[in-house]
Amino acid sequence: TVVALALLATTATAFAADSVDVRVIGTIVPAACTPALTGGGVVDYGTIKADTISATDYTVLPEKQVAFSITCDAPAKVALIASNGRVGSLAGATETSYGSGEAPMSLFGLYNIGAAGLGMEGSSKIGGYGVRIDNTTVTADGVAVDSLRADNKGGTTTAWVKDAYAGLVYSPLHERMTTWAAAGTTTPVAFTALSGQLGVQAYINKGSELDLSKPVHLDGLTTITLYYM
C-alpha cells in the first residue's frame, strides 16, 4: 500500500498542469466621487431617561438629521447602497440576508419601512432605526432633484421608481439602491455636487426586554457605499 501511494503521488506530479492564467481586471469610472456627512456621521440621541421608555411597546424617537453631500471631480451618475453593521440586532423584526427588516411601526410617517438594528445589550436587542435622504432637501449642482429607488430582487435590479419610499435607503425585503433624477423624471442624472439632509429615526425595544437599571448604549452602524452607473 505504501508503494502504491508513492507511485500515485509521483504520477500526479508528472502530469501537473504546466500553465497558469493571469487575469487583468478593473473598472474605468467617469469620475471619483466622495460622500460626506457633517459631524463625522454621528447621530446622537444624547441621554434618554429610562422612565420615558414604554415597558410594553416600542418607543419611537424623533427624527434627527445631518447634512449629506456627494462631491465628484467630473459629472457622474452614482447611486448609494446602505449596509447594516449590526446584523442580528433589529428588534421586533426578522432580518433578510441583506441585514435589514421591516420596522414594527411607522417611521418617517410611513409603514413597511426598512430598518437596521441598534446593537445588543447582552443578549437583548436594543431597537432599530430607519435612514432616509430627505426628498425635500436634495439638490444636484444647485437644482432640486427627486430621489429614486430600485430594489434588487433575486439578483435583478428593478426599474427606478419615484414614490413615497424613494429616499429610504433600507428596504424591508431586498437590497436597495438610491439615486436622483430631474424633477418629474425617473432617469438618473449626472452631477458634480449633490447635497441634502440625511435623516435617522430610531425606536427602542420594549422596556420589558431591556435591563433599564443600568445604562443602555445605542450602537447603530450604517455604511453607505457609492455605486457608479
Side-chain angles (χ1 to χ4, degrees), residues 137-160:
T137 66
V138 188
T139 62
D141 296 328
V143 179
V145 289
D146 293 337
S147 295
L148 304 176
R149 66 176 177 90
D151 291 347
N152 183 328
K153 300 180 179 179
T156 301
T157 300
T158 58
W160 293 107

Side-chain angles (χ1 to χ4, degrees), residues 8-216:
L8 180 60
T10 302
T11 302
T13 302
F15 288 95
D18 56 3
S19 64
V20 65
D21 294 333
V22 176
R23 297 182 63 212
V24 180
I25 63 173
T27 303
I28 299 174
V29 297
C33 299
T34 304
L37 291 165
T38 57
V42 176
V43 178
D44 188 0
Y45 273 97
T47 300
I48 304 168
K49 293 184 178 180
D51 60 9
T52 65
I53 304 300
S54 171
T56 58
D57 201 358
Y58 302 104
T59 300
V60 179
L61 303 178
E63 179 182 1
K64 287 186 173 291
Q65 294 193 342
V66 295
F68 170 74
S69 65
I70 300 174
T71 304
C72 305
D73 57 19
K77 293 182 180 182
V78 299
L80 63 84
I81 299 173
S83 59
N84 176 18
R86 300 292 181 260
V87 175
S89 69
L90 178 59
T94 300
E95 296 179 17
T96 69
S97 59
Y98 297 106
S100 59
E102 183 178 335
M105 79 291 291
S106 167
L107 295 176
F108 307 117
L110 296 168
Y111 288 93
N112 305 315
I113 296 298
L118 276 176
M120 305 289 291
E121 184 68 22
S123 60
S124 299
K125 298 176 179 180
I126 296 172
Y129 64 98
V131 182
R132 70 168 179 166
I133 306 298
D134 188 342
N135 291 332
T136 65
T137 66
V138 188
T139 62
D141 296 328
V143 179
V145 289
D146 293 337
S147 295
L148 304 176
R149 66 176 177 90
D151 291 347
N152 183 328
K153 300 180 179 179
T156 301
T157 300
T158 58
W160 293 107
V161 175
K162 177 184 179 296
D163 61 10
Y165 295 88
L168 297 166
V169 303
Y170 282 115
S171 164
L173 296 174
H174 310 283
E175 183 179 60
R176 174 165 292 171
M177 298 174 68
T178 300
T179 192
W180 299 271
T185 73
T186 56
T187 301
V189 296
F191 58 81
T192 56
L194 180 137
S195 63
Q197 294 290 312
L198 180 143
V200 170
Q201 187 164 28
Y203 67 92
I204 306 300
N205 202 354
K206 300 172 184 178
S208 58
E209 300 292 324
L210 300 169
D211 182 359
L212 298 178
S213 66
K214 60 182 182 181
V216 176

